[in-house]
């Protein structure tokens, strides 16, 4: 299998940029895709996980009705319904797609 195909599979199925690092031996180029994606996920998960846990606890103990509209309203009130999460998700998606596409055109680094 060609290194570019291996790189595209690593980047598509595992994490963007890993194909450049593992298969193409281009760590700096891989970090251009890996770091923004990782930061986007940290932002999303860092804000969403505590909120989801708090809302799930409130639904479980009966202090909050399991109404989707009410839950969406609470997410919006917590600041996770604005442009920030949407932008982070857009960055993650663009880096993922660009990493796979770039894997096909990038060449493996020459072995020393």
């Amino acid at each position: 299998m060609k290194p570019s195909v291996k790189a595209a599979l690593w980047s598509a199925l595992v994490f963007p940029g890993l194909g450049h690092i593992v298969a193409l031996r281009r760590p700096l180029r891989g970090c251009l895709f890996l770091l923004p994606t990782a930061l986007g996920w940290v932002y999303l998960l860092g804000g969403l996980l505590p909120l989801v846990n708090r809302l799930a606890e409130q639904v479980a103990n009966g202090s909050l009705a399991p109404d989707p509209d009410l839950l969406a309203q609470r997410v919006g009130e917590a600041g996770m319904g604005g442009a920030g999460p949407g932008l982070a998700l857009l960055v993650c998606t663009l880096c993922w797609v660009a990493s796979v596409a770039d894997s096909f055109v990038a060449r493996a680094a020459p072995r020393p």
Side-chain angles (χ1 to χ4, degrees), residues 50-69:
L51 175 62
V52 168
N53 285 335
R54 189 171 61 246
L55 291 175
E57 189 175 296
Q58 289 174 358
V59 169
N61 70 20
S63 64
L64 181 64
D67 176 32
D69 292 329

Side-chain angles (χ1 to χ4, degrees), residues 32-58:
L32 290 175
F33 298 110
L34 191 140
L35 291 176
T37 306
L39 290 174
W41 279 107
V42 166
Y43 173 78
L44 287 171
L45 294 177
L48 282 177
L49 285 180
L51 175 62
V52 168
N53 285 335
R54 189 171 61 246
L55 291 175
E57 189 175 296
Q58 289 174 358

Side-chain angles (χ1 to χ4, degrees), residues 41-109:
W41 279 107
V42 166
Y43 173 78
L44 287 171
L45 294 177
L48 282 177
L49 285 180
L51 175 62
V52 168
N53 285 335
R54 189 171 61 246
L55 291 175
E57 189 175 296
Q58 289 174 358
V59 169
N61 70 20
S63 64
L64 181 64
D67 176 32
D69 292 329
L70 182 59
L71 292 173
Q73 178 185 357
R74 293 285 173 100
V75 169
E77 290 170 359
M80 291 307 290
L87 181 62
L89 190 58
L90 178 66
V91 166
C92 291
T93 304
L94 289 177
C95 284
W96 216 301
V97 170
S99 175
V100 173
D102 188 64
S103 294
F104 284 115
V105 297
R107 293 187 181 179

